[in-house]
Amino acid sequence: MQILRGKSHDLGGFAVRRMLPAPQQRMVGPFIFFDHFGPATLAPDVAMDVRPHPHIGLATVTYLYEGAIMHRDSLGCAEEIRPGDINWMIAGGGIVHSERTPASLRGRSFALHGLQCWLALPDAHEDDAAEFFHYPASDLPQLDVAGARLRVLAGDAFGRRSPVKVHQPTLYVDVLMPAGSGIAVPEEHEERAVYLLSGELDIDGNALAAGEMALLRSGECVLRATRDCLLVLLGGQRFGVPRHIWWNFVASNRERIDRAGERWRNRDFPTVPGDEVEFIPLPEERSA
């Protein structure tokens, strides 16, 4: 079992821990980007304001445990996400969106805690038309397994299927495990990982601490909570063609990323209705 510890960054009021991509593991199934933000209590004069920015070649998924985020995109979608819901945005050949603290929470303290992930799109879907879907918490399958409470966020697990539109076999499950409980992670997914948000977890005799991600070996793996645990399972089918990632772009080759960068620099992406003025400029330097 390999453990990833990620890097934590302060974004002016709340911390973000980035687990993927990591030097030792770029992807887990289709997951190519994994951020854990919070938990934090934001002061009345602090808000989350992620200005309009572009994406290609990926699907974004935001999942909250506390707080609320207002999503707006260049398709004209405007949807506030709250704990337990799924906001699922398929960038395809290109989309622009912003993520901001809703007006109802501005000017007062509020808690913010959640996950944001990107899933790379397979070759055949890189240039698909952009789409956005909102799935309320009530639409997501919930079940109890050996005392643990599970919600299937995307893909298939434990005999249940999420309604979220995925493009290849995917594993994404929210799990709350009381101390002393144990579950076996399904074996049908080629690549699997566990990220522990809080608590202490034992994986086949190996300890996992909060803020760490474990890459699971093939075959059956048993998770046991030594303290109350909040965790997610993630993974799916291995990508046959490696993905390139730079800034907000994911692609099967660097030329696609270069073209997307030029489009953004030249302001050739569509604007976001209701959020047309501000935008995040293209970074001056590109990493290798």
Side-chain angles (χ1 to χ4, degrees):
M1 184 181 77
Q2 186 177 6
I3 294 179
L4 307 180
R5 293 182 172 84
K7 293 183 178 180
S8 186
H9 307 275
D10 186 277
L11 294 185
F14 62 98
V16 175
R17 179 176 293 275
R18 180 155 302 166
M19 305 304 301
L20 296 174
Q24 61 271 56
Q25 187 75 26
R26 300 280 289 174
M27 300 176 67
V28 180
F31 289 81
I32 194 168
F33 179 96
F34 187 105
D35 268 4
H36 174 204
F37 53 90
T41 299
L42 276 63
D45 60 344
V46 176
M48 188 184 84
D49 280 304
V50 181
R51 295 166 291 160
H53 56 282
H55 288 289
I56 66 164
L58 56 85
T60 70
V61 53
T62 304
Y63 186 70
L64 294 180
Y65 294 98
E66 295 181 284
I69 296 173
M70 187 66 194
H71 163 97
R72 296 183 186 274
D73 63 42
S74 52
L75 298 176
C77 301
E79 188 72 54
E80 185 172 316
I81 183 173
R82 292 191 172 274
D85 299 344
I86 287 283
N87 268 8
W88 186 267
M89 186 181 75
I90 300 172
I95 196 170
V96 180
H97 76 137
S98 63
E99 297 161 294
R100 299 183 183 270
T101 295
S104 61
L105 293 180
R106 290 179 182 266
R108 63 184 182 91
S109 295
F110 67 95
L112 184 64
H113 185 206
L115 302 171
Q116 186 169 70
C117 303
W118 300 352
L119 286 75
L121 296 177
D123 294 2
H125 295 283
E126 283 189 283
D127 292 321
D128 282 3
E131 296 181 279
F132 175 81
F133 302 93
H134 175 80
Y135 301 90
S138 58
D139 286 357
L140 303 176
Q142 298 185 57
L143 64 156
D144 292 326
V145 177
R149 186 228 68 192
L150 289 78
R151 175 180 283 131
V152 182
L153 305 182
D156 300 84
F158 299 93
R160 306 294 294 275
R161 173 173 293 182
S162 166
V164 171
K165 182 178 180 178
V166 297
H167 293 87
Q168 70 174 64
T170 300
L171 171 69
Y172 196 30
V173 183
D174 175 30
V175 184
L176 183 62
M177 297 181 65
S181 63
I183 61 172
V185 181
E187 299 182 53
E188 68 263 31
H189 293 286
E190 189 175 8
E191 295 187 332
R192 302 168 301 165
V194 177
Y195 178 72
L196 185 61
L197 289 86
S198 63
E200 293 178 359
L201 191 67
D202 176 274
I203 306 176
D204 293 334
N206 300 290
L208 190 69
E212 296 181 338
M213 179 179 288
L215 307 177
L216 303 181
R217 58 173 177 77
S218 59
E220 182 177 280
C221 291
V222 177
L223 313 182
R224 299 191 185 280
T226 51
R227 291 176 52 194
D228 291 350
C229 288
L230 178 62
L231 60 96
V232 290
L233 306 174
L234 63 145
Q237 181 179 334
R238 184 192 307 271
F239 254 70
V241 178
R243 281 312 187 250
H244 298 272
I245 179 171
W246 177 73
W247 195 41
N248 301 311
F249 305 137
V250 170
S252 57
N253 60 65
R254 298 191 181 201
E255 290 74 20
R256 288 177 181 269
I257 289 177
D258 292 340
R259 289 196 298 269
E262 285 302 307
R263 286 172 59 198
W264 186 244
R265 181 181 288 112
N266 296 332
R267 310 302 294 137
D268 288 337
F269 276 85
T271 58
V272 177
D275 202 347
E276 300 96 336
V277 177
E278 296 185 308
F279 66 93
I280 300 177
L282 189 76
E284 291 296 323
E285 295 184 5
R286 175 172 166 179
S287 59

